[in-house]
Amino acid sequence: MGTQPAESTSEAEFTKIQELLYELTVGAVMTANVVTLEAEEEMEAAKELMRLHRISGLPVMCAGKLAGVVSVEDVIRWLERGGQRAAVSKWMTRPARTIHRDDPAIQAVTRFGRTRVGRLPVLGDNNDLVGIVTPGDIMGRLLTILDSRMRSEERTLPESRERERSCLQPGATLQLRYPVAVADFERAGSAATGIKRWLGCLGFEPPLVRRVSIAAYEAEMNLAIHTLQGGTVAAVINDDELVIEASDQGPGIEDIEQAMREGFSTAPEWIRALGFGAGMGLNNIQRCADEFFIDSTAGRGTTVRASFLRSASEPDSQGQPAPTLDPSCESDHKGGAG
Amino acid sequence: MTVRDVIEALDLKIVAGEAYLDRDIGGGYVGDLLSCVMATARPGQVWVTVQAHPNVVAVATLAGVSAVIVTEGKAVDLGTTERADREGIPVLCSHRTSFEVVARLVEIGVRGG
């Protein structure tokens, strides 16, 4: 079985997007209802159309054929030179760069990249104008397609989870590793959520999943809050036990005894305002774990390891410790093996 | 009692997780210190807080709560709503304080434990 959590890399996504851009035709991503303008109309009319439709450029038509494109840039040039009454044909960009309906979307992307135009009129078979395409159109279409693909993947997930469950054979070891970036509070928590999801898939008892999740979350948050360059949260799962290990390369803890004291925190004020850094993280980990280990050298880094025995009895029928006045609230039934 | 019942009784605004409003609510928890929430909130509870950043969703998911009520009219980040929709956590907003929201929850029969 894979030893990495099944998470798509940005590289894989990039290839998928490229593939899509080759598959899709310009016709599939363009806007078909084009606002156009006749060549003899005035620049004032072009300006008004852009404002009303909130668009940045318009194809200009002459006798039913594309004659050019007038863009916001043209309007600005016109206004800078006094903005006097003038026909669009005098200020428009011509000949317009165009693209064919049957061209692959990648060609439009390349053209947007090379030229600096913000839109391309789309021509059909008889060089008739059939639409217009902007980078925004392509982006929007890609997002819709990727979104619907991801949704259909989600729908098939239960089956693949069933496979995962049957994958962890007796005697096998599953290792998960999650990098944790420092100060990335948007993503922080995703290692713990990932580990929780795996444990659920592997059929662990909810009370144990809960204890492991709390420990993994606190360990992950410590890396996000306190380290210099982030660190790694790893989970190792086998028949007998489950180990969560968080490691980093600094700054290290000066005084472990002090750091272990509940309520002691070195987190800055802005982090506390977000509800983190209450000085309970290490205590929560210790309380949840059957075995707890911490090693730290100032200037070198810290390793925190929490082990959970799969056969360990749970605190009550639901596995939830009874609420107590203790703010961190996991009852100390395991006795902190510090 | 479902999330939907609570929304109606407290006149809450739904900002995320609209597909999960039929979930049952068994009790409630109030708090802004995420470590406390992690350790104390129980699966199925409704969690009342002033925190509205994306990590709230991670905590809610890990604690297994049924819904989050963000109080005092705090603006909920786009990152939070996106993550909540993905994880299936209803995020509901109230302009009232946490105290007032909890008082109202107790009135309609939501208990702590």
Side-chain angles (χ1 to χ4, degrees):
Chain A
M1 97 166 297
T3 54
Q4 289 287 323
E7 267 163 11
S8 55
T9 65
S10 58
E11 238 177 349
E13 285 299 325
F14 186 59
T15 324
K16 263 185 211 164
I17 288 171
Q18 281 179 320
E19 260 173 42
L20 262 177
L21 284 172
Y22 280 101
E23 277 169 32
L24 290 170
T25 61
V26 169
V29 297
M30 70 179 190
T31 302
N33 296 322
V34 200
V35 182
T36 62
L37 204 65
E38 293 299 318
E40 63 269 21
E41 285 188 75
E42 293 190 9
M43 284 302 282
E44 181 65 29
K47 180 170 77 80
E48 276 307 288
L49 278 174
M50 286 180 201
R51 190 176 63 80
L52 283 175
H53 296 278
R54 305 175 74 89
I55 50 181
S56 57
L58 298 156
V60 179
M61 308 298 288
C62 186
K65 293 281 176 196
L66 181 72
V69 167
V70 62
S71 67
V72 166
E73 289 80 6
D74 298 322
V75 170
I76 291 172
R77 273 195 307 126
W78 165 65
L79 287 172
E80 276 176 349
R81 306 276 175 87
Q84 305 194 340
R85 282 185 73 162
V88 169
S89 55
K90 194 178 163 213
W91 290 91
M92 69 184 182
T93 306
R94 56 183 281 264
R97 289 172 202 279
T98 61
I99 194 155
H100 194 273
R101 181 169 53 191
D102 298 334
D103 285 336
I106 188 84
Q107 200 152 320
V109 173
T110 316
R111 216 162 284 181
F112 287 132
R114 267 201 217 128
T115 65
R116 278 158 51 201
V117 299
R119 67 210 66 74
L120 291 166
V122 181
L123 301 182
D125 289 335
N126 305 316
N127 283 345
D128 290 336
L129 181 75
V130 293
I132 193 158
V133 66
T134 65
D137 290 332
I138 297 175
M139 190 70 78
R141 188 81 188 103
L142 281 179
L143 287 176
T144 318
I145 292 172
L146 288 177
D147 183 60
S148 69
R149 287 192 181 175
M150 275 161 74
R151 274 171 209 277
S152 65
E153 267 173 33
E154 257 170 33
R155 274 196 293 278
T156 58
L157 212 57
E159 279 172 37
S160 54
R161 285 189 175 174
E162 206 48 51
R163 270 205 305 282
E164 284 163 14
R165 187 190 298 262
S166 57
C167 273
L168 197 60
Q169 301 293 342
T173 300
L174 170 64
Q175 296 190 25
L176 306 167
R177 286 173 67 82
Y178 297 85
V180 179
V182 67
D184 183 358
F185 297 112
E186 296 260 327
R187 271 191 65 81
S190 49
T193 358
I195 291 169
K196 183 186 183 186
R197 205 168 288 141
W198 272 91
L199 297 184
C201 290
L202 293 166
F204 282 82
E205 291 299 309
L208 178 60
V209 174
R210 178 181 163 77
R211 288 198 285 132
V212 176
S213 302
I214 294 173
Y217 175 80
E218 295 290 7
E220 184 178 3
M221 294 320 299
N222 277 349
L223 295 179
I225 297 170
H226 297 292
T227 57
L228 299 173
Q229 292 159 348
T232 307
V233 171
V236 178
I237 305 162
N238 61 33
D239 291 348
D240 306 318
E241 64 170 5
L242 200 156
V243 179
I244 301 289
E245 185 174 292
S247 50
D248 64 71
Q249 270 75 55
I253 301 171
E254 296 269 355
D255 183 343
I256 293 185
E257 207 176 302
Q258 187 183 40
M260 288 299 299
R261 207 175 303 142
E262 192 159 302
F264 176 84
S265 174
T266 54
E269 191 50 42
W270 70 272
I271 283 177
R272 293 179 193 226
L274 293 172
F276 304 112
M280 288 164 39
L282 289 173
N283 303 92
N284 268 355
I285 299 173
Q286 186 173 25
R287 285 207 179 85
C288 288
D290 294 314
E291 273 173 44
F292 176 83
F293 167 86
I294 180 166
D295 182 37
S296 187
T297 310
R300 293 270 292 281
T302 304
T303 299
V304 169
R305 189 156 57 234
S307 310
F308 302 80
L309 303 176
R310 296 188 65 172
S311 53
S313 61
E314 294 299 337
D316 64 27
S317 57
Q318 288 182 307
Q320 313 292 355
T324 64
L325 289 175
D326 179 345
S328 58
C329 307
E330 285 295 323
S331 61
D332 217 348
H333 66 285
K334 272 96 44 184
Chain B
M1 187 178 315
T2 65
V3 176
R4 201 182 296 280
D5 297 332
V6 169
I7 293 170
E8 277 167 23
L10 277 77
D11 192 22
L12 302 171
K13 195 172 113 203
I14 307 159
V15 297
E18 204 158 356
Y20 304 88
L21 305 184
D22 293 316
R23 215 174 260 166
D24 280 324
I25 285 187
Y29 180 81
V30 55
D32 306 320
L33 274 180
L34 304 181
S35 285
C36 278
V37 182
M38 274 302 300
T40 319
R42 299 275 160 261
Q45 289 185 331
V46 57
W47 169 27
V48 181
T49 181
V50 294
Q51 303 290 3
H53 52 79
N55 212 269
V56 163
V57 181
V59 172
T61 309
L62 290 166
V65 299
S66 284
V68 181
I69 301 180
V70 176
T71 58
E72 298 190 19
K74 296 278 187 257
V76 179
D77 303 357
L78 183 64
T80 308
T81 55
E82 282 173 356
R83 199 161 170 179
D85 281 327
R86 213 162 51 228
E87 299 285 350
I89 301 283
V91 177
L92 317 165
C93 288
S94 171
H95 61 274
R96 298 195 165 82
T97 64
S98 294
F99 182 87
E100 290 167 320
V101 166
V102 172
R104 187 80 187 97
L105 285 172
V106 172
E107 241 174 64
I108 62 170
V110 178
R111 291 288 179 266

